[in-house]
Amino acid sequence: MVTVTSATPAAPSLFPLDSSCGADLSQDPVALGCLAKDFLPDSITFSWNDNKNASITDGIKKFPSVLNTAGTYTATTQLSVTASEAQEVFYCSAEHPNGIRTVRVHPHRPCTTEPSMTIRPPARDQFLEPNKTSTIICSVKNLCNQAVTLKWLKEGVEVSSGIHTDGPVSSGRNGYTLSSELTVSEKDWDNDRVYSCKVESKNFSDIRNISKCFECGGECSPSDIGTQLIPPNFADIYIRKSAILTCRVINMQSTEGLNVIWMREDGKELKTSIGERKVQSNGRFSVDATTSVCADEWERGDEYTCEVIHPELIFPLKKTLTKQPVTNSHAPSVYIFPPPAEQLALREAATVTCLVKSFNPPDLFIKWLSNGEELNASKYISTQPIQESSQPLLYFAYSTLQISEQEWNAGNTYTCLVGHEKLPLQVTQRTVDKSTVYLDGFMDAEEEDFYNLWTTASTFIILFLLSLFYSTTVTLIKVK
């Protein structure tokens, strides 16, 4: 075939074809390329050399030349090397009647820009649609690796539905771009639910949080790092015989560099455990740091100091915790109530209720036992202490245990165990079962019918005996 062209004879322009940004170079083979453009005539010979200028003869492919619209030619060559060899530099040469060109080829060229991640709140006008939903958008640019995972979380729990993700898509020298949308309801957004976009890859890992509060500048809560000291609860003191002190660090942009130390009054450091970070409603983080001390030391009023060190703080934060005295303290009164007869008549479920009233301080614990064995906390529901009166300051709480009607009628005993620091032995209990209820005047429908029948029958028996006694007496008198 003869090609007629008006183009001027020229040597090729040579360009490297190296691996894309973030390409996986751990798998054999790794392909390198070389592109020769705009040469004429169509006569070109490629050759490859390593970084020591030694000629390479294996793993080379030469593809046919292609005629361009301008009347010149383009051709490519490919070199396949092992993953270990791919760490070196190679040289591609193109020999042409009008000159020789050489170009440096590197298997991997680092990304020129750091990855960036953004999260955008939902558009409010989308909530006006009939379905009352909108989308949060999470975008990551300049990723240096296609092997990337993106997860959505709601209040720290992974979301599996309502997600649409595009990518990773190649952006040339800028690596890859990843974009994901999460559909949220207007109700959840207005309730200030915290949503998180979490991205992880080999060379990049980050998380971004968004909520309604965070969208409006985080004005819903203080923006400065702070601490909250949480005293031990009575249940830990009574059951474990130790006091757990908690120092909660709040409003952190990042937990990097955080250090928390608990100390005694004399400055002696205590063993401190730092928990996992949690997402706040304003998109920032909080962390709990705890230590354990003897219950006796806490009860006698020893002081303990929490010191917080963080890169965002100019000076460490220090706060002291000690047991606060309670005025007008009062031990609780405990009452236990059997299932109502109306509920038992339905033969479906039975609810045993424990009322704890007139106590102060408000810290206490309630546990349930069945036949002397402690029940799992999932079996019952207990309220938080509720103010009963202000003068004097007293509280009440109650707990309900749900059992089956068959369990109640089987004669099992149920015990409400209450712990409070002002009780004589710090704990008291009340027990109820079917038999004690009957003795106390409580009975179910069948028992009530039987009781009424027995009352009627016994009345007739007594009247009959009285009549018989009267008749016998009169007869004896007449005989005399």
Side-chain angles (χ1 to χ4, degrees):
M1 183 177 68
V2 178
T3 301
V4 178
T5 177
S6 59
T8 304
S13 298
L14 205 57
F15 303 93
L17 301 177
D18 53 22
S19 302
S20 63
C21 173
D24 188 358
L25 303 181
S26 63
Q27 300 295 321
D28 290 332
V30 176
L32 309 177
C34 188
L35 172 68
K37 288 186 63 179
D38 303 326
F39 60 89
L40 190 70
D42 181 16
S43 175
I44 194 168
T45 302
F46 290 104
S47 61
W48 286 87
N49 293 76
D50 61 20
N51 62 340
K52 297 179 181 179
N53 204 31
S55 178
I56 301 173
T57 56
D58 296 329
I60 298 175
K61 289 183 180 179
K62 198 270 185 181
F63 298 95
S65 303
V66 177
L67 179 63
N68 303 323
T69 55
T72 58
Y73 290 88
T74 297
T76 57
T77 178
Q78 177 182 299
L79 172 65
S80 296
V81 297
T82 64
S84 58
E85 294 172 330
Q87 307 304 316
E88 306 295 335
V89 176
F90 297 86
Y91 296 91
C92 172
S93 298
E95 186 176 348
H96 186 266
N98 291 309
I100 299 175
R101 299 289 184 267
T102 300
V103 68
R104 182 176 180 268
V105 182
H106 195 287
H108 172 65
R109 182 173 297 174
C111 291
T112 56
T113 309
E114 286 292 320
S116 62
M117 183 175 174
T118 58
I119 187 168
R120 285 169 29 200
R124 297 295 304 183
D125 57 350
Q126 291 183 5
F127 287 133
L128 301 176
E129 300 293 329
N131 58 7
K132 293 187 178 298
T133 60
S134 188
T135 54
I136 301 173
I137 302 175
C138 180
S139 301
V140 191
K141 297 180 180 180
N142 307 321
L143 282 167
C144 280
N145 202 313
Q146 263 186 307
V148 58
T149 60
L150 185 148
K151 295 180 181 178
W152 284 100
L153 297 93
K154 176 183 174 182
E155 298 290 337
V157 179
E158 186 173 349
V159 179
S160 57
S161 60
I163 300 170
H164 177 73
T165 302
D166 291 323
V169 178
S170 177
S171 300
R173 289 296 177 191
N174 291 325
Y176 299 92
T177 299
L178 180 64
S179 179
S180 183
E181 297 180 356
L182 173 66
T183 301
V184 299
S185 67
E186 183 180 26
K187 180 180 178 182
D188 281 345
W189 183 253
D190 287 341
N191 285 336
D192 208 27
R193 299 289 183 261
V194 179
Y195 295 91
S196 306
C197 177
K198 185 177 183 180
V199 174
E200 290 182 332
S201 67
K202 185 177 180 181
N203 300 313
F204 177 75
S205 179
D206 202 357
I207 185 169
R208 289 285 187 274
N209 306 310
I210 192 73
S211 68
K212 183 178 180 179
C213 176
F214 189 55
E215 178 191 13
C216 51
E219 296 176 357
C220 309
S221 61
S223 58
D224 294 334
I225 293 179
T227 56
Q228 298 172 349
L229 300 187
I230 304 171
N233 58 58
F234 179 72
D236 283 337
I237 294 174
Y238 180 80
I239 297 170
R240 301 181 185 177
K241 305 303 179 187
S242 63
I244 308 299
L245 314 180
T246 303
C247 181
R248 180 168 294 165
V249 188
I250 60 174
N251 291 324
M252 292 179 288
Q253 293 267 22
S254 169
T255 56
E256 281 294 322
L258 172 67
N259 190 27
V260 183
I261 304 169
W262 274 103
M263 294 177 289
R264 297 182 182 274
E265 293 178 76
D266 59 6
K268 184 179 179 182
E269 293 186 9
L270 294 165
K271 182 180 179 182
T272 305
S273 299
I274 300 179
E276 295 292 325
R277 68 180 187 179
K278 296 178 181 178
V279 181
Q280 301 176 181
S281 61
N282 62 1
R284 298 196 176 195
F285 298 103
S286 69
V287 168
D288 285 354
T290 59
T291 190
S292 177
V293 298
C294 293
D296 293 341
E297 296 174 343
W298 170 256
E299 294 291 345
R300 73 188 180 201
D302 287 5
E303 289 188 353
Y304 302 92
T305 300
C306 172
E307 182 179 79
V308 177
I309 301 169
H310 192 277
E312 295 178 31
L313 295 171
I314 300 175
F315 302 103
L317 290 178
K318 289 185 179 183
K319 276 191 177 181
T320 300
L321 181 65
T322 187
K323 183 176 180 179
Q324 299 298 317
V326 177
T327 57
N328 300 320
S329 57
H330 196 275
S333 299
V334 181
Y335 306 91
I336 192 166
F337 301 96
E342 295 83 358
Q343 185 185 33
L344 291 174
L346 298 174
R347 298 188 177 279
E348 294 175 353
T351 304
V352 185
T353 305
C354 183
L355 173 63
V356 187
K357 66 187 301 290
S358 304
F359 59 89
N360 188 31
D363 191 13
L364 86 166
F365 67 83
I366 303 174
K367 294 182 180 293
W368 283 92
L369 293 81
S370 175
N371 298 325
E373 296 290 330
E374 184 176 345
L375 295 174
N376 191 290
S378 62
K379 299 284 186 180
Y380 54 89
I381 297 175
S382 301
T383 67
Q384 293 295 320
I386 304 167
Q387 186 172 328
E388 179 181 327
S389 65
S390 56
Q391 293 295 333
L393 182 60
L394 296 174
Y395 298 86
F396 77 93
Y398 64 89
S399 180
T400 57
L401 172 65
Q402 192 87 353
I403 57 176
S404 68
E405 181 260 349
Q406 292 85 355
E407 289 175 313
W408 174 256
N409 285 326
N412 297 316
T413 62
Y414 297 96
T415 302
C416 176
L417 182 72
V418 177
H420 190 270
E421 66 177 56
K422 290 303 174 181
L423 286 166
L425 298 176
Q426 294 192 322
V427 67
T428 189
Q429 63 184 42
R430 297 289 184 271
T431 300
V432 70
D433 61 25
K434 184 179 179 181
S435 62
T436 57
V437 168
Y438 181 78
L439 292 173
D440 290 339
F442 297 99
M443 60 193 73
D444 61 22
E446 289 184 0
E447 290 172 331
E448 188 174 0
D449 291 340
F450 176 81
Y451 179 76
N452 291 336
L453 178 62
W454 169 249
T455 302
T456 304
S458 61
T459 302
F460 278 110
I461 291 170
I462 292 170
L463 290 173
F464 172 76
L465 291 173
L466 288 172
S467 176
L468 181 62
F469 177 76
Y470 177 79
S471 299
T472 304
T473 304
V474 171
T475 303
L476 289 173
I477 293 172
K478 287 181 177 180
V479 171
K480 289 181 178 180

